[in-house]
């Protein structure tokens, strides 16, 4: 195929399939309260996620511990009887333990982060309320820094 023929084929394809960029978007008038999208999260939602992460941590730690102990025990028994399956089960139990630790760390991180965030937001709200109150007092003409 000659270079000119290739150029002709590209031009022909471009004419048949004109590409244009089109952005997906929401309709201009959605009505309602004027907010866009439907993803919202309030303190109760975040608290529920944190509680679920904490509950998963507790439950999984309890139940995965039983599974680990049973698997290690079975692996030891099989290895002691000369079965190659014992070493394989021991390998699986080790990997299970590593993955369980990763999941437990993630659950603890989520729970702790959401608790910290909740407390930090409460502290921020208190600080802001105090600052606004102080500004309101200063604007009203009362200045506690002056001698009265």
């Amino acid at each position: 195929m000659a270079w000119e023929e290739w150029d002709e084929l590209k031009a022909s394809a471009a004419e048949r399939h004109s590409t244009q960029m089109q952005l997906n978007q929401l309709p201009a008038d959605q009505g309602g309260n004027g907010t866009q999208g439907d993803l919202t999260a309030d303190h109760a939602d975040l608290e529920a996620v944190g509680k679920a992460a904490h509950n998963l941590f507790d439950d999984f730690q309890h139940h995965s511990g039983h599974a680990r102990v049973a698997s290690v025990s079975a692996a030891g028994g099989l290895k002691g009887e000369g079965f190659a399956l014992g070493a394989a089960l021991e390998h699986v139990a080790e990997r299970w333990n590593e993955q369980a630790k990763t999941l437990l760390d993630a659950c603890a991180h989520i729970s702790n982060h959401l608790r910290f965030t909740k407390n930090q937001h409460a502290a921020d709200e208190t600080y802001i309320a105090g600052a606004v109150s102080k500004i309101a007092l200063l604007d009203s003409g009362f200045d506690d820094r002056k001698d009265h």
Side-chain angles (χ1 to χ4, degrees):
M1 176 182 300
W3 189 257
E4 294 81 24
E5 186 180 3
W6 174 247
D7 283 339
E8 288 175 19
L9 288 172
K10 288 191 315 183
S12 174
E15 288 173 12
R16 285 192 312 264
H17 301 289
S18 175
T19 58
Q20 296 178 358
M21 182 183 297
Q22 177 181 349
L23 299 177
N24 293 332
Q25 59 186 352
L26 296 173
D29 180 21
Q30 290 198 5
N33 62 4
T35 61
Q36 290 186 347
D38 60 355
L39 180 60
T40 60
D42 58 19
H43 288 293
D45 296 327
L46 298 177
E47 190 172 337
V49 171
K51 185 174 178 9
H54 182 74
N55 290 343
L56 177 60
F57 178 91
D58 288 342
D59 292 345
F60 187 76
Q61 185 176 36
H62 175 74
H63 295 295
S64 71
H66 290 303
R68 182 183 49 77
V69 169
S71 296
V72 169
S73 176
L78 288 168
K79 278 177 67 173
E81 295 295 323
F83 289 99
L85 182 60
L89 183 57
E90 185 176 67
H91 176 78
V92 169
E94 289 171 5
R95 295 302 162 267
W96 170 262
N97 194 40
E98 291 170 9
Q99 295 299 314
K101 286 180 182 177
T102 299
L103 177 62
L104 290 170
D105 286 348
C107 288
H109 180 76
I110 290 167
S111 179
N112 292 341
H113 179 72
L114 289 173
R115 185 180 310 114
F116 170 81
T117 301
K118 178 184 170 189
N119 292 339
Q120 186 61 47
H121 281 274
D124 290 346
E125 289 292 326
T126 301
Y127 173 78
I128 291 168
V132 168
S133 294
K134 188 171 186 175
I135 291 169
L137 284 174
L138 292 173
D139 285 346
S140 69
F142 179 75
D143 190 346
D144 61 352
R145 294 175 294 178
K146 294 180 186 177
D147 292 326
H148 296 288

